[in-house]
Amino acid sequence: MVEANLEEEALAAEAAARDAFAAFYSGLTDGEDQNALPPNVTLALARWVEARKRWELAQTETKVPSVTRLGLKPPASVMLPASLPARDALAALFAPQLWQTEASGLAMIAKVSDTAQVRVEFDEVLGFGPEQAIRQIARSGPAAAQTFLALASLWMERLAGQPHETYLTLAASDLLRFQGKKATPKGGYHRDDILAKGRDLYLLSRITVPHALGSESMALGRLLSLEAMEAGQSDEGQSIVRFRYHLGLEAHGWMQESVAQVAPRLLSYHPVRQKYQILLGFCLAWHRGNHPEETELSLPHLLELAAIPMPEKRLSEFLTSLEDALSELASDGILPGVKLLKPQGWHELLASRQTRLLLQKSRVQIEKPRPELADRGKH
């Protein structure tokens, strides 16, 4: 009798979840507004999963469940945020025993027949908190990270104290000049450098910054709002890229904290020869400002945040390059005291060519931000 009641409860919860998800799915568009499961859908799915667990626990291992799966036909592909609740919901919704997660962790695949499969891709930009946005900036490359730092620094320099929605009008040449790039003998900048800044601007303007609103919902903002970007040529035949922009709310908060202190000095690094210094310095400065009590973080986590892949070969050289980059950030005064902490017995790991394990066990130590920076970030 108890099992029958649990089965009825599970069926009712399943029907509610089916209706909620069907209504959500029918409204899916390619627009940027549809980025996460609505709270009512998440709640319905959670209730169904819990009800089904209670029912299945009441059954014996030899008993085959008689209930049918949801009648909702799965789409060929669907994008959802890279969050565990979303993955769990989809796995439960479309026969969990069919699903396999890709090694990358960014997609799940279900083989529904000998000739058909369903692939669910998770949009990495839309995960938990602004770390996803930081990773996207880093993934765009060290030059794009420097462009972001120049944009944010110029905005803070010229419009300090203004609301973050206040627009600033600049040209790509302003960014190059702020970064200390030398102009040509004719007084302008090379066409390729101008267009590269335009490319960076476009990439940065597409990055979203998710942040939680309570425990059951999430809001999305832009890293920066870009308007009126135009490309052309001056009367002298030089390429021009002009644009209006303002920082997003989250990005404005970052620059009020420790990132603003390192930005000008990171702009002096070369985006090819010193790419590790730029990416590691940017991500460590953000981490220090947003997690002031965490004075250590694992090297794999930092590399993931900085979008620096661990190579398949020449790992010893990779380790040396990382350690040199951190040492340079410390000696240049950009991140005083930052250093690589290797695990006990690291010499033996290196000698036995277990460099990958050495990298995985290493940590990075950073100093807490100065009190005035932490206090300023609260206002």
Side-chain angles (χ1 to χ4, degrees):
M1 187 66 179
V2 173
E3 184 179 323
N5 291 337
L6 290 175
E7 180 179 357
E8 290 178 4
E9 181 183 340
L11 287 170
E14 181 177 351
R18 178 190 59 204
D19 293 343
F21 189 87
F24 158 71
Y25 177 67
S26 66
L28 280 176
T29 68
D30 293 329
E32 62 187 45
D33 291 333
Q34 186 52 67
N35 290 309
L37 290 176
N40 66 308
V41 179
T42 304
L43 183 60
L45 290 170
R47 286 173 175 170
W48 172 39
V49 170
E50 290 303 316
R52 188 174 184 84
K53 284 180 181 177
R54 289 193 294 270
W55 173 51
E56 290 179 345
L57 284 174
Q59 300 179 85
T60 64
E61 293 183 358
T62 58
K63 190 173 181 179
V64 178
S66 58
V67 76
T68 58
R69 295 285 176 181
L70 284 179
L72 184 64
K73 183 180 179 181
S77 67
V78 63
M79 298 287 287
L80 282 174
S83 62
L84 291 176
R87 297 184 194 201
D88 292 345
L90 263 292
L93 203 59
F94 302 135
Q97 72 274 15
L98 298 179
W99 291 96
Q100 290 185 342
T101 302
E102 277 192 339
S104 66
L106 300 181
M108 295 199 309
I109 297 177
K111 187 176 181 181
V112 295
S113 72
D114 292 337
T115 58
Q117 68 177 21
V118 177
R119 178 183 175 87
V120 178
E121 294 184 354
F122 298 102
D123 187 345
E124 200 176 7
V125 178
L126 308 171
F128 296 116
E131 282 196 9
Q132 300 290 356
I134 294 296
R135 186 178 293 112
Q136 289 298 310
I137 295 173
R139 181 171 290 176
S140 298
Q146 285 183 313
T147 298
F148 169 71
L149 291 171
L151 287 167
S153 297
L154 278 167
W155 193 96
M156 296 298 297
E157 181 181 285
R158 300 187 184 185
L159 298 177
Q162 297 293 318
H164 80 276
E165 302 96 335
T166 308
Y167 279 96
L168 176 64
T169 300
L170 292 177
S173 56
D174 295 320
L175 299 177
L176 292 167
R177 191 177 302 110
F178 186 76
Q179 289 186 231
K181 303 295 183 182
K182 292 184 179 180
T184 65
K186 295 182 179 180
Y189 289 91
H190 291 291
R191 176 178 180 274
D192 289 346
D193 292 335
I194 294 290
L195 296 182
K197 285 301 173 190
R199 176 193 64 88
D200 292 346
L201 287 165
Y202 176 77
L203 290 175
L204 294 170
S205 71
R206 305 303 298 168
I207 294 176
T208 53
V209 185
H211 54 278
L213 295 177
S215 59
E216 293 187 348
S217 62
M218 179 176 66
L220 290 171
R222 285 292 182 191
L223 180 72
L224 59 90
S225 180
L226 182 66
E227 285 192 2
M229 187 168 80
E230 56 180 347
Q233 286 189 330
S234 67
D235 295 337
E236 294 78 20
Q238 295 175 345
S239 296
I240 296 175
V241 173
R242 286 196 180 93
F243 56 94
R244 295 175 70 241
Y245 76 101
H246 69 73
L247 299 177
L249 180 61
E250 291 279 354
H252 185 270
W254 302 338
M255 297 308 293
Q256 293 288 343
E257 295 169 348
S258 59
V259 177
Q261 301 299 308
V262 306
R265 287 169 286 182
L266 285 177
L267 293 176
S268 65
Y269 286 144
H270 193 279
V272 177
R273 295 191 301 271
Q274 296 170 299
K275 62 180 181 179
Y276 291 158
Q277 286 86 333
I278 296 169
L279 296 176
L280 294 175
F282 169 58
C283 293
L284 282 170
W286 176 84
H287 187 275
R288 185 178 65 168
N290 287 267
H291 304 280
E293 299 305 316
E294 296 182 16
T295 57
E296 289 186 14
L297 69 161
S298 73
L299 180 60
H301 177 65
L302 175 59
L303 293 178
E304 182 185 6
L305 188 63
I308 299 175
M310 198 177 296
E312 293 297 324
K313 299 179 180 179
R314 308 181 75 164
L315 288 171
S316 296
E317 293 182 18
F318 178 65
L319 175 62
T320 300
S321 297
L322 294 177
E323 195 163 17
D324 288 346
L326 293 172
S327 296
E328 192 167 352
L329 289 169
S331 61
D332 288 348
I334 296 176
L335 290 169
V338 66
K339 60 182 177 181
L340 185 67
L341 302 177
K342 299 173 186 173
Q344 280 189 326
W346 68 269
H347 291 95
E348 288 79 5
L349 290 174
L350 200 59
S352 59
R353 297 186 179 181
Q354 298 186 66
T355 314
R356 187 174 299 276
L357 182 59
L358 169 57
L359 285 162
Q360 291 170 347
K361 289 187 173 183
S362 294
R363 303 185 66 79
V364 176
Q365 185 179 70
I366 52 179
E367 291 184 352
K368 289 185 178 182
R370 296 194 303 273
E372 59 268 25
L373 290 178
D375 292 340
R376 183 169 55 180
K378 297 176 182 178
H379 297 298

